[in-house]
Amino acid sequence: MSNHQPHILVSNDDGYLAPGLLALVNAVRPLGRITVIAPEQNHSGASNSLTLSRPLSIHRVAGGERDGFIFINGTPTDCVHVAMTGFLEQKPDLVISGINQGENMGEDVLYSGTVAAAVEGVMFGVPGIAFSQIDRGWNRIDDAAKAAHDIVAQMLVSNLASPQLARQDGAATLLNVNIPNRPYADLYRWRVTRLGNRHHSQPVVVQDSPRGEKIYWIGAAGDVKDNSEGTDFHAVDDGCISITPMQLDLTHHARLAAMRANGWDRG
């Protein structure tokens, strides 16, 4: 990172009124110039969705502890996309998202709006960090925010945030961070991890509407399947912060080579 004061864009998926967003913003203010652009409503599970069926409205909070926060009637991806494609005069140096109410580990990252906001920054060449707290309810959120401050500070002084690394690797750094609900004094242990995985999601919950029609609620996430040593699940079970470096390349390169070797290429 260069010597100029870094510009940090902060977003989330729980909405601009979420305690996790406010705690994160307050914790990282000493680290640079902060711009907050977050959804108006909760968009948990929105993944990387963009709003294409209607225009978006942008509003700025005036007064109070969220003074200057900007909110958009769209998804987390909308927020970062709008910021990157014209709303901000210059792209920020870092995008951080969260702090989410609840963990985002294993396959959760494919559905998470928190992760999606960080991903959108990376798609525009800007490093991103997604922060989540393991247990819901905002218990110890200020402690989690202090830990997030330390991780952002480490990111800003490391080569992970450098444009040179992005050019060398072909993509900006993307980190997925899960923080246990513990006192700050217990959050000094960090582990760099890989994603674990879960069993399939629980079945849909079927109910009858007041009109006698069947309605369906998406079932809960599946239980942990792989929490072996080195995974995000294992780290947080051991009371550590899990930091997982991720990438956007979804190509299965080994399968690609095998398919070509087995004659799938035609023409």
Side-chain angles (χ1 to χ4, degrees):
M1 186 66 62
S2 61
N3 292 326
H4 81 292
Q5 185 185 38
H7 179 197
I8 303 172
L9 174 64
V10 187
S11 192
N12 75 341
D13 77 352
D14 288 319
Y16 78 102
L17 294 175
L21 178 68
L22 181 62
L24 180 61
V25 169
N26 288 339
V28 300
R29 280 198 190 279
L31 298 177
R33 181 166 62 91
I34 306 299
T35 299
V36 181
I37 305 180
E40 182 176 15
Q41 304 290 337
N42 184 300
H43 277 277
S44 296
S47 188
N48 297 86
S49 59
L50 281 171
T51 301
L52 303 177
S53 59
R54 58 174 174 79
L56 299 170
S57 299
I58 300 177
H59 303 276
R60 188 183 301 269
V61 178
E65 58 187 357
R66 292 173 175 80
D67 184 56
F69 282 24
I70 295 165
F71 62 90
I72 295 179
N73 62 338
T75 67
T77 299
D78 288 332
C79 294
V80 179
H81 189 90
V82 167
M84 296 289 181
T85 57
F87 184 77
L88 297 180
E89 293 183 1
Q90 291 184 320
K91 290 192 297 186
D93 299 297
L94 178 67
V95 174
I96 61 175
S97 179
I99 298 172
N100 188 63
Q101 181 179 205
E103 65 190 32
N104 277 305
M105 299 190 291
E107 292 88 342
D108 300 342
V109 301
L110 297 174
Y111 301 101
S112 167
T114 303
V115 175
V119 165
E120 192 68 11
V122 171
M123 290 179 67
F124 284 91
V126 177
I129 311 176
F131 290 103
S132 301
Q133 202 179 21
I134 300 303
D135 298 323
R136 300 179 63 83
W138 309 116
N139 181 41
R140 300 283 186 185
I141 188 60
D142 289 329
D143 297 284
K146 290 178 183 178
H149 164 278
D150 296 343
I151 292 169
V152 172
Q154 178 76 13
M155 180 78 160
L156 291 172
V157 300
S158 75
N159 68 339
L160 292 180
S162 71
Q164 292 80 6
L165 181 66
R167 287 192 292 269
Q168 174 185 324
D169 287 3
T173 298
L174 173 62
L175 302 180
N176 183 50
V177 179
N178 283 274
I179 305 173
N181 298 56
R182 288 174 172 254
Y184 177 65
D186 294 342
L187 295 176
Y188 63 92
R189 294 190 301 152
W190 305 356
R191 288 188 187 164
V192 179
T193 58
R194 69 180 187 274
L195 295 176
N197 59 57
R198 298 181 182 275
H199 291 284
H200 294 304
S201 297
Q202 299 297 313
V204 294
V205 178
V206 185
Q207 296 178 336
D208 292 321
S209 76
R211 297 181 179 180
E213 301 168 330
K214 294 295 183 186
I215 55 176
Y216 300 84
W217 294 92
I218 296 295
D223 294 331
V224 177
K225 181 178 180 180
D226 176 14
N227 64 343
S228 56
E229 188 170 355
T231 64
D232 44 8
F233 291 109
H234 185 274
V236 301
D237 284 347
D238 202 25
C240 298
I241 293 174
S242 167
I243 304 175
T244 305
M246 301 197 307
Q247 62 183 10
L248 304 188
D249 182 3
L250 298 180
T251 304
H252 192 314
H253 291 279
R255 180 109 359 116
L256 176 101
M259 291 177 68
R260 285 176 173 168
N262 282 280
W264 281 76
D265 273 343
R266 296 188 179 183

